Amino acid sequence: MPNIRIIDSITDPGSASHPNEDSAGGNASCAFVIDGATGLGGTSIVGLHGSDAAWLARFAQSTFEELVRSGRKVAEVVRELNQRAANVVHEAAHALPIEAWNLPIASFQMVHVEGDRLVTHGLGDCRLFLVDADGKVVETSAIKAAYANERDGARRAIAQSGGFATHQALADEPVVRDELRRRRAAYNQPGGSVWTLGIEPAAADHLASEQLDVALPARGLLCSDGFAALADQYGRYGVSDLVRAAASTGLAPLLQELRHIERVDDPDGQQFPRFKISDDATAVLFEIVA
């Protein structure tokens, strides 16, 4: 049976004025990263420092660490997690109507030992980068083209809003915010293409799962999209180079490099279009051995 060992982890808020809406964790059979989606200007329902996304990220972390064990299907865990979250949200809302775009949601990506198999599961746009003993590279996400779509949307939003000189987060611009609300309201809906952690147990039926046929030992990174930007958006590393750099120097220097790109090299988002100067960034470096 394969064994997962977490070597290093790091998480950092994108702004000192906002709570970190990422989380990460693991146990004897899994490792995972969670990325809560920043609210779009609505009233906080549950709130953690005013952020439902931060609450959900931590709620999901503790629930995964409690429930994900060898022998239990991850889809069942996601269903129970979302039902638990729904109970909390509806109780906190006191039966008041909640706009669909204002519901707490989060992405996640997980590596899980299932008997003698290694499987990755996810919802949303978190990332897995993996290099096995033979040098084979695996990279995946529940939404395959998420980073490219994000970049294209950010480019349009910068043109619409006037960029970071006018708005520290492009979602603060009314027209951009309305479009983002429209898109988010379509999440977790029957017939929709985007499903997440949140309050819809049916998201478990849309879990993206892939068996990892890799030679052991293998090393990998689970990343929120804010950290994966080093490879996906900024092009500083290929997948194998990023994993090797993390294993060689640790995650802290990579985070420093990420923030230097965003705050020194490209603070206006013209070279690398994005919705915020800096997003929350989280990564877990892990090893899988036989």
Side-chain angles (χ1 to χ4, degrees), residues 5-9 219-221 243 246-247 251 283-287:
R5 182 174 71 92
I6 294 176
I7 302 170
D8 192 10
S9 64
R219 282 183 174 167
L221 281 172
V243 173
L251 294 170
V284 176
L285 174 67
F286 63 92
E287 180 179 58

Side-chain angles (χ1 to χ4, degrees), residues 108-266:
F108 86 97
Q109 195 71 38
M110 175 184 293
V111 174
H112 185 219
V113 174
E114 301 180 4
D116 60 355
R117 301 188 313 150
L118 194 67
V119 184
T120 185
H121 302 279
L123 291 169
D125 60 4
C126 292
R127 296 282 272 147
L128 168 65
F129 302 133
L130 186 69
V131 180
D132 78 358
D134 298 330
K136 175 183 174 182
V137 173
V138 176
E139 57 93 12
T140 194
S141 176
I143 304 177
K144 304 301 184 194
Y147 60 89
N149 293 336
E150 178 90 358
R151 181 173 58 243
D152 292 343
R155 184 178 291 110
R156 292 191 296 271
I158 286 172
Q160 172 68 45
S161 67
F164 297 133
T166 306
H167 301 280
Q168 290 295 296
L170 302 187
D172 293 338
E173 198 281 326
V175 174
V176 173
R177 183 174 63 241
D178 287 346
E179 174 61 15
L180 293 174
R181 286 178 174 181
R182 183 189 68 79
R183 293 183 184 181
R184 191 171 293 182
Y187 292 1
N188 299 303
Q189 298 294 324
S193 61
V194 179
W195 293 82
T196 69
L197 299 179
I199 72 162
E200 290 297 335
D205 299 325
H206 302 272
L207 192 65
S209 303
E210 301 174 46
Q211 183 168 331
L212 301 172
D213 296 314
V214 294
L216 302 181
R219 282 183 174 167
L221 281 172
L222 289 158
C223 310
S224 64
D225 64 337
F227 192 96
L230 276 170
D232 289 338
Q233 303 289 15
Y234 309 151
R236 291 297 177 93
Y237 296 88
V239 172
S240 59
D241 292 336
L242 183 61
V243 173
R244 291 188 181 105
S248 174
T249 66
L251 294 170
L254 292 173
L255 177 64
Q256 292 174 359
E257 182 177 2
L258 175 82
R259 296 312 192 205
H260 191 275
I261 293 168
E262 295 166 343
R263 297 169 183 175
V264 178
D265 295 346
D266 185 42

